[in-house]
Amino acid sequence: MAGWLMPLEEVPDPVFAQRMLGDGVAIDPTEGCLYAPCDGEVTVLQPTGHAITLRAGDGVELLMHIGIDTVQLAGAGFDPQVKVGDRVRAGDVLIRFDLDSVVCGAPSVVTPVLLISQEGLTLAAKHGGGLVAPGDPIFTIQRATAAAESAIDATGETAVRDVLVPLAHGIHARPAAKLREVLVPFAAKVTITKGAQSADARSPVRLMTLGIKLGDTIRITAEGGRADEAAATLAALIESGMGEKADPATPPVPAPAPAPAPVEMPVSSEPGLLAGVTAAPGLAIGTACFFRLPELAIDPVGKGASLERARLEDGIDKVMRAIDADLSHAAGPMRSILAAHRAMLDDPELRAAARAAIVDGASAGHAWRQAVRPQAELLRASGDTHLAERADDMVDLERRVVSAIEGVQDAPLVFPQGTILLADDLLPSQVTALDPAQVRGFCTARGGPTSHVAILAASLGIPALVAMGPALRGIAEGETLILDAGAGTLRVGPDEAQRAEAQARVEARSTALAAARAAAGAQAKLADGTRIEVFANLGSVSDAERAVAAGAEGSGLLRTEFLFLDRETPPSVAEQTAEYQAIADALQGRPLIIRLLDIGGDKPAPYLPIAAEENPALGLRGIRVGLAHPQVLEDQLRAILGVRPIGVAKIMLPMIASVGELRAVRAVLDRLRGELGIGEKVGLGIMVETPAAAATADLLAAEADFLSVGTNDLTQYTLAMDRGNPAVASGIDGLHPAVLRLIADTCRGASARGRWVGVCGGLASDPLAVPILVGLGVTELSATVSMVPEVKALLSTLTLERARAHATAALACATAADVRRLAREFTA
């Protein structure tokens, strides 16, 4: 590139100036053309055309980034002359760009040229500065000596395995985490290489940046003690497919796939109508309010390596404890997101990079930022849309840890009522902090429809559009907006007719909700008088208070994990009893069904020795943990028996698969009742979460006092799809006919023994599912607190005869999509 050569320190962006992405130089261009600095292959080309990566061989990768924050130009002014996979020669034109346009639209046109693969490589500048022309040398790259490169530890053991990747979706976050887990017993250093790029096999974040896909051949290299065993173990795990093995008929992909095109948005020719990508459907009218969270100020210089390292570890530990506490009561999308954040915090490469920066004199906060940002940038530059969306999670974690280190907290997010929030992008933690009473919806210039921000918006019921591009920034603060997220449009400055039509739609929905809330205090009954109880799922005293206000008739599920996680020892009997009693008091005498501790698998506790399992969902979890640790089980039963009045608190057993498990707990409960002198009956029920429990419901109902269907786990076990795995998430639907048939079997088996059946899983909060569940024979629904009024209102419009006929038709459907189509027609 023709222009003025300058050191990286002078680049007006800390990510480049502080060498977070790698060493190199920068050029302030005088012409609008970027040339290949050497022979190589184009490995990454940003869809917006402003940045490109070349692989030059021998582990050398060069990143050229035209200008600062030029991604915000959304491709305007850039004209790439090559594509991913092209082989280029030194001097070939890579990108032409409109220099004047970029100068006017970006903070700076200074172009960093970086060496981004530095293991075993050193860089030496060749030019002192001043004007340079295309073809002039700017730096040289050297590899360490062969002796140093091949050095291994004192054992002298090394092993290499080449593996053809059979995973349908390649090595993404979940498989990467499994690879790290299987290496725990081994001391050997293990790396995975794809082409010229390598990553520590214990670093999920770094592995994701390799972009390993189905059909890729990768090399596993292990050095040190038990190297051969470590390499063989890792190779066997990958070759097994880890539950994601592709169909043999699927042809392998021998070469890297080209970077995907940016998400296509519908183009509107209508003035004042902007198009976006739906993240969460809904309709809202409000006023524009822009949001940008200021960057946390950090002193980059440390006050001593030992002090800063302690601050770093303390900050990370604080965030991990906070995530663990949230995990104890999280469900659905939020649980998956928190689990992903927890895995990222555990990444050894991130911690090692931060510690290395501290040794070099950085403060703890600055070191963590230096460790995280380059990895986030690599994910964004990967050319993979889903990986790029994970970069937002890394930025979110960066801010949380830095805040913990510095002892600062972001001010609460407060906006005027009726706000439509506009932002370049939002972090997951910011979305969860939004108050729906203030923010009616939001739009972002960046982001994607499968990002965690999008998932959270949908779970919170906040209408949202993403990937709207630079046009969003042209909206005036305070402008009236109509956000129709379902249609993928944002109308700016609507006329009176347009506003009136939208307002009528909003008011119709609001009227229906208001009526439901006003009637929520009455007993839930069908239109023909049939009694159906509507309870709420709880996780705290505050949940119980909100449930009563919403009209809940009790709690069909109290999750007790919040008492047991994020601590080094189990809670005492007295501590548990006090918490259960407080929740019972908040329910003001309404029934309280307490689920016994449901941990194991993805919810471990440090004081319960549960070994790492290849498939935790099928291992030691639920009631199996209680039976394996009888003191924990007995203490929890004692605590529940201490709740007064006796009998208001019922007991529910998670993950039951056999009558033997129920009998074992019943024996402990009866013994404790005798010891405590309790003559009153205390209800003992089970959760139907396994196909085994559904198939033997009549046998279980002969000895259980009630049955409650946990549709989330029942669905994953019935369909053999892990609900925490994004690769199969689209196929997981509780309205699948197979799941509905198991619920029908449960209701028939329980009815034969005179027992009632409830549902405490996600289907109890789904308006499309509620009529079907009632028709199948369910007589108690335990929904999320916010859905209680709507569920009760919906029930009041049904008759048992109509619900049964509808359920019969649903059972005859072939697919979940057919069931949902039928359900929409039924409720229309």
Side-chain angles (χ1 to χ4, degrees):
M1 175 183 280
W4 293 91
L5 191 67
M6 54 195 292
L8 277 187
E9 289 82 356
E10 296 181 14
V11 176
D13 185 303
V15 171
F16 297 110
Q18 297 168 15
R19 291 175 168 78
M20 293 183 185
L21 286 178
D23 202 0
V25 297
I27 301 174
D28 192 352
T30 55
E31 296 176 1
C33 192
L34 178 71
Y35 301 88
C38 59
D39 297 350
E41 178 187 352
V42 178
T43 57
V44 177
L45 176 64
Q46 285 294 303
T48 48
H50 71 284
I52 189 169
T53 300
L54 291 186
R55 180 183 297 139
D58 197 32
V60 174
E61 282 201 288
L62 300 172
L63 168 66
M64 289 151 281
H65 193 289
I66 302 173
I68 305 302
D69 285 345
T70 39
V71 66
Q72 299 180 17
L73 300 180
F78 294 97
D79 184 17
Q81 304 296 298
V82 294
K83 62 183 183 298
V84 172
D86 282 355
R87 298 289 307 182
V88 297
R89 306 283 293 179
D92 287 353
V93 176
L94 300 178
I95 302 171
R96 297 188 188 278
F97 58 97
D98 186 333
L99 183 58
D100 291 338
S101 175
V102 177
V103 167
C104 294
S108 171
V109 77
V110 167
T111 299
V113 182
L114 306 176
L115 169 65
I116 60 172
S117 295
Q118 298 189 68
E119 186 172 350
L121 301 174
T122 59
L123 181 149
K126 289 281 289 184
H127 199 290
L131 278 171
V132 291
D136 287 350
I138 53 176
F139 55 71
T140 59
I141 301 167
Q142 295 178 318
R143 179 166 288 284
T145 65
E149 188 180 61
S150 61
I152 58 176
D153 68 19
T155 67
E157 187 177 347
T158 186
V160 176
R161 296 282 189 283
D162 288 335
V163 177
L164 183 69
V165 176
L167 283 78
H169 304 282
I171 297 182
H172 54 90
R174 185 176 178 82
K178 286 185 177 179
L179 296 182
R180 180 189 62 190
E181 290 173 8
V182 80
L183 288 174
V184 169
F186 300 102
K189 177 185 178 183
V190 184
T191 58
I192 291 179
T193 302
K194 175 189 170 184
Q197 292 181 290
S198 296
D200 186 336
R202 289 180 170 86
S203 172
V205 172
R206 185 61 182 149
L207 276 180
M208 285 193 293
T209 68
L210 296 184
I212 298 172
K213 296 180 173 62
L214 170 67
D216 284 345
T217 297
I218 60 174
R219 172 160 291 186
I220 299 169
T221 304
E223 298 175 290
R226 300 171 65 194
D228 190 67
E229 188 180 352
T233 300
L234 206 63
L237 180 57
I238 295 172
E239 289 169 343
S240 75
M242 292 185 270
E244 301 179 18
K245 203 164 190 174
D247 188 320
T250 302
V253 183
V263 177
E264 290 292 332
M265 296 183 296
V267 178
S268 172
S269 59
E270 186 178 344
L273 191 65
L274 304 181
V277 177
T278 301
L283 178 69
I285 304 171
T287 54
C289 181
F290 282 86
F291 170 72
R292 184 179 182 87
L293 195 65
E295 178 136 301
L296 293 171
I298 305 173
D299 185 350
V301 180
K303 296 179 172 64
S306 59
L307 172 62
E308 297 299 339
R309 178 162 178 166
R311 293 178 69 218
L312 172 69
E313 299 301 332
D314 181 61
I316 293 174
D317 287 348
K318 284 179 180 176
V319 177
M320 291 180 79
R321 288 196 299 271
I323 291 176
D324 287 341
D326 291 338
L327 275 169
S328 68
H329 55 77
M334 176 56 79
R335 179 164 193 84
S336 298
I337 293 167
L338 289 169
H341 285 196
R342 185 67 165 76
M344 288 179 182
L345 277 181
D346 266 336
D347 193 299
E349 190 163 302
L350 288 182
R351 294 196 180 207
R355 290 168 185 150
I358 287 174
V359 171
D360 289 339
S363 67
H366 189 62
W368 182 248
R369 182 172 286 173
Q370 283 184 292
V372 171
R373 288 201 178 178
Q375 299 301 326
E377 289 298 326
L378 285 172
L379 290 176
R380 287 197 178 102
S382 66
D384 184 303
T385 303
H386 298 298
L387 289 181
E389 289 170 350
R390 297 292 82 80
D392 293 338
D393 297 284
M394 297 200 70
V395 173
D396 202 355
L397 281 178
E398 177 207 306
R399 188 176 187 91
R400 290 190 68 177
V401 172
V402 169
S403 296
I405 290 170
E406 301 296 330
V408 298
Q409 287 186 327
D410 289 325
L413 299 182
V414 179
F415 302 97
Q417 286 198 345
T419 287
I420 301 290
L421 197 63
L422 309 180
D424 281 345
D425 212 345
L426 291 171
L427 300 176
S429 61
Q430 293 163 357
V431 174
T432 58
L434 297 179
D435 183 352
Q438 300 172 351
V439 178
R440 294 177 179 172
F442 68 80
C443 303
T444 63
R446 299 196 292 269
T450 60
S451 67
H452 285 161
V453 164
I455 294 169
L456 287 170
S459 68
L460 295 170
I462 300 177
L465 292 178
V466 296
M468 297 193 69
L472 200 64
R473 304 186 191 99
I475 300 173
E477 186 89 13
E479 179 69 87
T480 299
L481 304 174
I482 297 176
L483 171 59
D484 190 345
T489 61
L490 179 69
R491 186 174 295 280
V492 182
D495 60 31
E496 287 300 319
Q498 292 165 338
R499 182 165 183 169
E501 187 272 339
Q503 188 64 41
R505 291 165 59 195
V506 170
E507 288 175 357
R509 168 69 173 162
S510 179
T511 298
L513 285 175
R517 290 173 182 140
Q523 274 194 345
K525 294 180 181 179
L526 303 187
D528 58 15
T530 303
R531 181 81 168 95
I532 304 290
E533 293 179 305
V534 178
F535 288 1
N537 297 336
L538 307 179
S540 65
V541 174
S542 62
D543 282 353
E545 293 168 346
R546 292 192 304 112
V548 170
E553 299 169 286
S555 171
L557 169 64
L558 172 64
R559 303 180 184 92
T560 59
E561 292 74 48
F562 71 97
L563 276 169
F564 289 81
L565 300 179
D566 190 31
R567 56 192 301 156
E568 297 302 318
T569 57
S572 66
V573 172
E575 184 181 353
Q576 291 186 63
T577 300
E579 193 70 36
Y580 303 149
Q581 186 68 60
I583 292 172
D585 292 345
L587 288 175
Q588 302 171 15
R590 295 169 177 82
L592 170 61
I593 298 177
I594 301 176
R595 182 179 70 187
L596 293 188
L597 181 62
D598 185 13
I599 64 171
D602 59 349
K603 293 181 285 185
Y607 46 84
L608 292 178
I610 300 176
E613 300 173 290
E614 183 174 344
N615 194 337
L618 301 182
L620 197 63
R621 60 167 297 192
I623 196 60
R624 300 168 190 171
V625 175
L627 294 173
H629 298 275
Q631 189 61 53
V632 173
L633 172 63
E634 182 171 319
D635 285 353
Q636 190 168 26
L637 291 174
R638 282 183 182 275
I640 296 171
L641 291 173
V643 176
R644 297 293 182 267
I646 295 173
V648 72
K650 299 176 175 61
I651 299 164
M652 185 161 66
L653 310 183
M655 286 296 297
I656 287 291
S658 71
V659 173
E661 293 166 332
L662 171 60
R663 288 173 176 169
V665 178
R666 173 77 75 181
V668 178
L669 178 63
D670 288 345
R671 174 172 59 80
L672 293 177
R673 285 175 58 219
E675 291 177 8
L676 298 171
I678 296 174
E680 296 93 332
K681 179 178 176 59
V682 177
L684 179 65
I686 67 158
M687 288 192 73
V688 177
E689 299 172 280
T690 66
T696 59
D698 58 331
L699 303 178
L700 289 164
E703 303 191 30
D705 297 314
F706 61 90
L707 293 80
S708 186
V709 182
T711 55
N712 301 340
D713 271 327
L714 181 61
T715 300
Q716 80 163 343
Y717 291 127
T718 301
L719 302 181
M721 291 180 175
D722 183 351
R723 58 194 177 103
N725 185 347
V728 295
S730 61
I732 300 174
D733 192 333
L735 286 181
H736 191 289
V739 180
L740 296 181
R741 291 184 180 209
L742 287 176
I743 296 174
D745 289 344
T746 301
C747 292
R748 280 193 295 269
S751 177
R753 301 290 186 173
R755 302 296 189 229
W756 60 265
V757 174
V759 171
C760 60
L763 286 189
S765 302
D766 186 343
L768 293 181
V770 165
I772 297 173
L773 296 175
V774 170
L776 293 176
V778 171
T779 59
E780 180 251 30
L781 297 165
S782 192
T784 59
V785 171
S786 62
M787 284 299 297
V788 166
E790 288 188 68
V791 170
K792 295 180 82 170
L794 175 58
L795 291 172
S796 69
T797 67
L798 303 175
T799 65
L800 189 57
E801 182 180 359
R802 280 189 71 222
R804 285 174 173 168
H806 179 46
T808 299
L811 292 176
C813 289
T815 68
D818 291 341
V819 174
R820 289 198 173 273
R821 191 177 304 111
L822 177 73
R824 282 192 292 269
E825 293 169 357
F826 180 83
T827 56

